[in-house]
Amino acid sequence: MTGLTGAILYRGPSELDGKPIVVIATGLGRSSRNEKTGDMVQTWIMRDDVDPWDAVKSGQDASVCGDCPHRGTSCYVKVFQAPKSVWKAAQRGAYPLVSDAAALTALGRGRAVRLGSYGDPAAVPAHIWGALVAEASAWTGYTHQWRTASHLQPLVMASVDTPEEKAAADREGWRTFRVRLAGEPVDARREFICPASKEAGYRTDCASCRACMGTSAKAKASPVIIAHGATARRFALYRNGEAMPAAA
Ligand code: SF4
C-alpha cells in the first residue's frame, strides 16, 4: 500500500440509518499536519450519494452524525471545506477501495489514526475500525452516539457536553471527552485537562498523548477542554439553550 495518499475504507450502509455512506482515509503519505492532532491519518465519514454540505443542509447528515446536537449548528468541522473536497475526489475515482482486513491493518500500521475527522465512527461497522487500528501506534475517536453504541467503548470516547452527560456516560462504562465552558470546574479525581488545549499550553499533540483511545488507553481519567475556536460562541448558545443560526 505504499505510495497511496488516500483510500476508501468502506462503502455500504450506515449503521445508523442504513443509507449509503463512504469512509475515506487521507494523509496516508504522512502529509497531514494539524496543530492539535499531529501527524495522523484522517478519516472522513460521509453520505456516498450526497455532497456532504448538501447533506448538512437537508438533514441527510443524520446518516453519518446520528442525533449529534451540533450538526449543522455548533459543529467545529467546516464541512464545505475538507470533507467536501475529499468527497468530490472520491466521486472522481481518486481513491481505491481497500476493503479486506489485512490491507486495512497495513494502512494503519505504525501510524496514528483519527477515527472520524468528520462524521461519527458509530456510523461505520466496528470491524472496519478494528482492522484499521490493529497495529496503529495510536488513535483518537469520539462518538455522540454513546447511548446506543456501547460496543465501541474499547475504541472511542463518549463525547459529552455537560457534567450531567459525563456522569451518565460514566455509569454506562465509557471514558469521555467533555467540552466545557470557561469557568466550569474540572473533577480532579476523574478528569484532566487535554494537554493539546490552549488552557494546558499546547503541551503535546494527540499522536503523542494517546489518551483518547476509549477504554484501550492507558489513561483511566478522562480529558476535558474549554470550547474554543470559531464554534465557542455557538457552544455557549447551545449550553444556554438558545436558538442558533444554521452553520454558514
Ligand atoms: S486528551 Fe490527548 S489524545 Fe485526547 S484530544 Fe487531548 S491531546 Fe488529543
Side-chain angles (χ1 to χ4, degrees), residues 118-137:
Y118 171 61
D120 194 304
V124 183
H127 67 87
I128 300 291
W129 301 129
L132 185 63
V133 304
E135 297 182 26
S137 61

Side-chain angles (χ1 to χ4, degrees), residues 110-127:
R111 299 294 310 276
V113 182
R114 194 170 173 197
L115 308 184
S117 308
Y118 171 61
D120 194 304
V124 183
H127 67 87

Side-chain angles (χ1 to χ4, degrees), residues 30 37-41 104-114 131-140 205-213 216-218:
R30 294 180 183 266
T37 60
D39 177 19
M40 298 185 82
V41 173
L104 287 170
T105 298
L107 288 183
R109 183 171 294 135
R111 299 294 310 276
V113 182
R114 194 170 173 197
L132 185 63
V133 304
E135 297 182 26
S137 61
W139 70 86
T140 61
D205 59 28
C206 300
S208 305
C209 171
R210 305 176 80 242
C212 289
M213 296 161 56
S216 302
K218 278 194 186 143

